[in-house]
Amino acid sequence: MALTVLNPATEEPIAELEQAGVEEADAAVARAKAAYPAWRAVAPADRARLLRRLAALVEENAEELARIESRNVGKPISGARGEVGMVAQVFHFYAGAVDKHFGETIPVAGGVAATFREPLGVVGLIVPWNFPLNISSWKLGPSLACGNTVVLKPAELTPLSALRLGELVLEAGIPEGVVNILVGKGSVVGQRLIEHPDVAKVGFTGSTEVGRMVMQGAAGTIKRVTLELGGKSANVIFDDADLERAAAAAPYSVFDNAGQDCCARSRILVQRSVYDRFLELLVEATRGVKVGDPSDEATEMGPLVSAAHRETVASFVEGEPVFRGAVPEGPGYWYPCTLVEATNDDRVAREEVFGPVAAVIPFEDEADAIRLSNDTPYGLSGSIWTRDGARALRVARATEAGVLSVNANTSVRVQTPFGGFKQSGFGRELGMHALDGYSEVKSVFISTEG
Ligand code: NDP
């Protein structure tokens, strides 16, 4: 069955693709399996050189990749350029990491024990539509660096950048079969990858609901899994914070990528003593977010990814919000920046909206802030705004989340581990930590006795 890919800003078709089914998924796994012995045998320096060449090709084709991503996801072109820049950095980083992820020798009686990092084999990578190329690279970089071969399944809605990346992989000289891109439905080809006996691991990013199915499906073959799932992160503003800075930054921590971001700080917790003042500043800052044509250099927020998703997002807003922004008229899956006052028990504060809707919630003191921040099944990210360094550390240590920032709203860096606590998943992407998820530790004892 053909798949029609749309531009969410215009609702116009931009590509027609053949969709893979179970047979094609099996063929992709077979190609990856056949390519594995030769790929794992490539000398580390040569594997590094190939990854570096891929990074260079991403840089050379950056504008084209950014435009593909912007048209297919509805992302502002400026943001898409930044994301493609990160993709190149990711491949540079893992090119450098190939020969720096090594084993150890361990003192034991009667000989020497050594550990080796071995690749897993064929890995299945299932990625979502919100950051298609970025998240693909976070999984591809460490997979390839460790010597695995890959079947990558992009989301049905946004397969175009992964397909172009697949061409660049071959142009870089990475052999045929090492990276296989599979366009098809999650419930068909994704499910097949999860259950396939020749797939050693699944690296998944997406909803907690599907993450649960990945774990269940993987149990049949005891597959390794890395799960990067949803979030409901808190942006905690204490009364001693630089309120102007915190308020100016807050809209971009939830409305970036139109809120379709697992790290979105969609619960803004504000100390009651500064609540009114902060809310005033926040509304002003949100009014300044430039929403419109993603191809316009000045645009800061584009449309949502699909009509169905817009319906879901809209269902979270009941009653009159404290602020609702403007959106362009005409076609496109637009949804305005929206601020609602809420309690932490409201649906908008409990569930992942994945759209430009932020819940503003008051708290009393430090203990209350920590309690509310942790009162969620998720634990991915979050921010703490205060001028008190000791408090920042106390709150950071007490917060049940994998990636935190103090007086900033950033979650993702190429060099640092990224991943969740609780139902936001487990395993870490990025940095040297990601390599642990794409390799096994083998211990070998060598006797030194006569
Ligand atoms: P999904 O979790 O459904 O999709 C993520 C990926 O998983 C896609 O490639 C999808 O394929 C695939 N998939 C879907 N069903 C299966 C399955 N049964 N077996 C294997 N793979 C599967 O997310 P949605 O796109 O539907 O978004 C729904 C919600 O999930 C969002 O509103 C948001 O709350 C959350 N989400 C979180 C993300 C994050 O970054 N943590 C990213 C995206 C969504 P396909 O789309 O091709 O069917």
Side-chain angles (χ1 to χ4, degrees), residues 126-131 135 153-157 184-191 194 204-208 210-211 213-214 228-231 261-262 309 312 352-354 380:
I126 302 177
V127 301
W129 43 260
N130 54 342
F131 295 99
I135 295 178
K153 195 208 91 61
E156 273 171 89
L157 292 171
K185 282 189 188 309
S187 55
V188 179
V189 296
Q191 192 63 33
I194 293 162
F204 173 81
T205 301
S207 60
T208 295
V210 175
M213 286 156 63
V214 172
E228 301 293 349
L229 310 176
D261 182 345
C262 46
H309 188 52
T312 311
E352 187 174 42
V353 178
F354 229 60
L380 187 53

Side-chain angles (χ1 to χ4, degrees), residues 308-381:
H309 188 52
R310 179 170 59 183
E311 242 175 75
T312 311
V313 170
S315 76
F316 282 90
V317 182
E318 294 154 352
E320 205 35 49
V322 64
F323 176 79
R324 194 197 301 267
V327 291
E329 304 217 332
Y333 308 123
W334 303 99
Y335 196 84
C337 293
T338 305
L339 298 171
V340 297
E341 292 186 272
T343 74
N344 204 51
D345 296 325
D346 295 339
R347 179 171 168 244
V348 70
R350 311 272 343 145
E351 295 177 26
E352 187 174 42
V353 178
F354 229 60
V357 180
V360 192
I361 302 167
F363 70 84
E364 304 303 332
D365 54 19
E366 188 177 313
D368 196 30
I370 293 167
R371 183 185 65 78
L372 288 173
S373 179
N374 288 338
D375 180 17
T376 167
Y378 295 110
L380 187 53
S381 191

Side-chain angles (χ1 to χ4, degrees), residues 30 32 34 99 108 121 123 153 174 200 214 248 293 307 318 380 403:
D99 50 10
V108 291
V123 298
K153 195 208 91 61
I174 294 172
V214 172
D293 178 0
E318 294 154 352
L380 187 53
V403 200

Side-chain angles (χ1 to χ4, degrees), residues 101 120 123 146 201 224 226 428 432-439:
H101 184 238
L120 302 171
V123 298
C146 288
K201 181 208 167 108
R224 284 85 185 110
T226 296
R428 291 294 177 265
M432 295 301 281
H433 288 77
L435 298 162
D436 295 344
Y438 289 96
S439 57

